Amino acid sequence: MRCNKCMMKVAALILVLTLLLTATASASVSLADGPIGGLQAPLSGNPLQSGMLEANSNRQIHPYGDEPVESRFDLNGFEKVAESDELELWLNRQFGALRIVNKDSGYVWGSLPLEEAEGLNSTWNCYGNSLVAIECFDSSGGESRLSIGKDGSAVYEMTENGLVCSLSFESVGVELDVAVELDGNRLGFKVVEGSLKEKLLENDKKGYMLKSVTFMPFLGSSYGADIDGYMLIPDGTGALIRFLEPANYVSTYAARIYGPDAGVENYSYGGYAYIKEENQAFMPIYGIVHGAGQNGFLAVVESGAEYASIIATPALTNNPYNWAAARFEYRQKYMMNINRKEGSGALMPQPDMNQLEPEISFYFTEGEEANYDGMAVMYRDLLLESGELTKLGDDASSTMPMLLEVLGADKKKGFLFNTTSTFTSFSDASEIVSSLNGDGIENLLMVYRCYAKNNEAGKKMLGQLGSSEEFAQLRSLLENGGGELKLYLNPLTANEDQITQRTEAANNLSSMVIKWLNSLNAYGAMYDTTYVYRLSRAERAVDSALSRNYGADFALDQLSFRLYSDFTSGKEVTRTESLGLAEGLVETLSSEGKLAMYKPNQYFWSHTDQFLSAPTVSSQLLYESDTVPFLQIVLSGCVEVFAEPLNMTSCSREKLLRLVEYGMAPSFAVVGCDSVELVNTAQSEYSSAGFEGWHDKISEAYETVSSALNGVWGHGITEHRCLDSGFVRVSYDNGARIYVNYTDKVQTADGVSVEPCWFAIVK
């Protein structure tokens, strides 16, 4: 106990010092004349930064080599089984291995040498080569990998455009058929519907259960740094893992597409204060490039994405190959509690198999498309063709907007009882809008938060915020300036005063309420725990919110990116069923048009016109070499993208340059009172939100970013190119180019000179 008190005191001291340093950094902000039309350069960089520190970090994209890359594979031992206008498919029956030939470039794609791949045992060698490989659990939870060349038998039936492989892994009782098809530059794989079977083996004491299925696990792999290339992963904005020599890493990249399942994942059981949520994988993709601008492929999970993970493993000392794959998860381990006490139990495999239909496509490219930006443009075109994205159109505003989140009122902790404290009334919000309009900022998107009783979705609007006439005046004021008013809507998560756990909370696989400790301020917040509603309860909240007819459209949060299964006894809902229910709610909310959404997963993009709180960086894992704007390139010209509030992250010069580079609008979260008024309230995490203190910084940030993006807002990015470390060129479909210089020296390219830590525009 004494030790715990000491640790808490140390933690408190660290927090105080951090706040003091943050306050000092904020107070030391200075202004300097900028190089463009007399525009001021706002907000000096972080005081800890010097020289090329930012330019050389893995928050940036870096130059790549231009030496020609030659394939290390031949076709000996393979037979040609299919051909399209752009690809040839070759099969080795013994190992169940495939080679793919790009007919335009002649490049041969494969996985591993058929036998004795350097640094790998026979299990890994056959697993990596197999056109389909599986993993299984035994009764004790042990895992094993199985492949065609070592553990299974295969029968091949040739089709017009490919083949069907009928597989039997007799040692574990698993059978399945896999269809392989060529179509142009696309190679598709899928498990034939109804073909997957798990059989109980006679006298089987191990009780094997299927864990996962992976197609072509090592396709495009590289031995160490033998060739120049990288893996592209959907980590936040997007990240590259360059092919490097083997090293030791504590863990490798494994991200569940559309985020973890709180009904199964361990973090949902609580007990982990200060957890930082992993960056979401918003898109079901990954890619591999052999020589930037030479050879590459983009892998797209077409079906079963809600039960799939993106795996990317840099070269390790015990497995010296860089490899990436999409793994379809039929089962995963969960914490089986044994006495209804959280954290008391054992990790066990899911008893029932997830129901999914795995399907993946590999799009092989060369030239300009064989790079992260070319792949992003290609993927945007695929989504436009499928209708998941639509272009903003010529009638879209060419003036960059700005997002302003405003907090209305919420509970405040009292000595004997809690009260409701007002932060920003409707009239206060109107004054904020008028003040910014006076600075020339008129295209404002305001999301008004904390406006309902107990801050619950669908409840009556608080009268203390103002009258309905004042609310209507606020909306008119925004719309007259070309802006919009949205009401924040979170029908999915709750604090302890907003939920009846027994009847409203979702449950995990261990029959415990799904909850987690809030990060950052878990010990100082008014509410330190977040709970998750059952989707039936979320549906009632949405219906209630719509019936209230508040007088403004909604900005949807939480439901837009949290996808979970619910194992409440007698009311079980699978992750796939949750997805269907969530899509139904979003269709109801967007019946009059598209929605503003916070961090929406790809399955909601057809209903999204404004992407809020988008990430501006990857997770910066040790083996991630570069951060790239894959997400922003895909969405550009189709969805307006807004960053996280700058006063909740970092309002440095580098962050503003990042918004310019990525084509994102700035955001701020403000209140009409002093920030100190939020202490001991349910909104205490907004430690610096007073509008008066941020007014000048908001205007400076908008002026800076809009001066670059007004000419390209609503247009699609066609190229994102690193010219030198810390020096980037971004091209748009209207011919405009923006040059961004993160270095401390003048940079020049294409006859354009850019001042240190600044940007230049060629229209």
Side-chain angles (χ1 to χ4, degrees), residues 267-315:
Y267 89 98
S268 61
Y269 297 90
Y272 299 94
Y274 300 103
I275 282 180
K276 182 183 183 300
E277 288 188 276
E278 65 183 38
N279 266 321
Q280 193 99 329
F282 299 103
M283 299 166 286
I285 61 94
Y286 72 92
I288 289 183
V289 166
H290 289 184
Q294 298 181 52
N295 312 285
F297 68 78
L298 179 70
V300 180
V301 177
E302 309 281 8
S303 176
E306 65 271 24
Y307 285 116
S309 299
I310 301 299
I311 310 300
T313 303

Side-chain angles (χ1 to χ4, degrees), residues 31 47 62 112 134 136 205 247 253 309 392 409 441 448 489 495 502 508 570 588 659 676 733 737:
L31 301 175
H62 303 290
L112 293 169
I134 68 171
C136 286
K205 296 182 180 179
Y253 183 77
S309 299
L392 289 171
I441 307 173
Y448 201 96
L489 181 65
N495 59 49
R502 185 179 61 83
N508 58 37
T588 300
L659 301 186
V676 70
D733 59 15
R737 299 193 307 274

Side-chain angles (χ1 to χ4, degrees), residues 574-652:
T574 68
R575 189 164 156 106
T576 301
E577 290 169 339
S578 289
L579 176 55
L581 291 170
E583 288 177 327
L585 290 178
V586 167
E587 286 177 2
T588 300
L589 285 167
S590 60
S591 60
E592 300 298 324
K594 293 189 176 183
L595 278 174
M597 294 196 207
Y598 285 84
K599 299 184 288 188
N601 286 325
Q602 183 185 300
Y603 49 75
F604 282 148
W605 288 359
S606 61
H607 298 285
T608 306
D609 59 359
Q610 292 158 327
F611 191 120
L612 312 183
S613 284
T616 55
V617 73
S618 67
S619 297
Q620 294 182 254
L621 302 171
L622 183 61
Y623 45 78
E624 291 179 344
S625 54
D626 310 70
T627 294
V628 296
F630 190 91
L631 173 69
Q632 285 80 1
I633 296 174
V634 172
L635 293 174
S636 63
C638 302
V639 176
E640 293 184 322
V641 182
F642 298 81
E644 296 174 333
L646 289 171
N647 54 327
M648 297 293 290
T649 55
S650 166
C651 198
S652 64

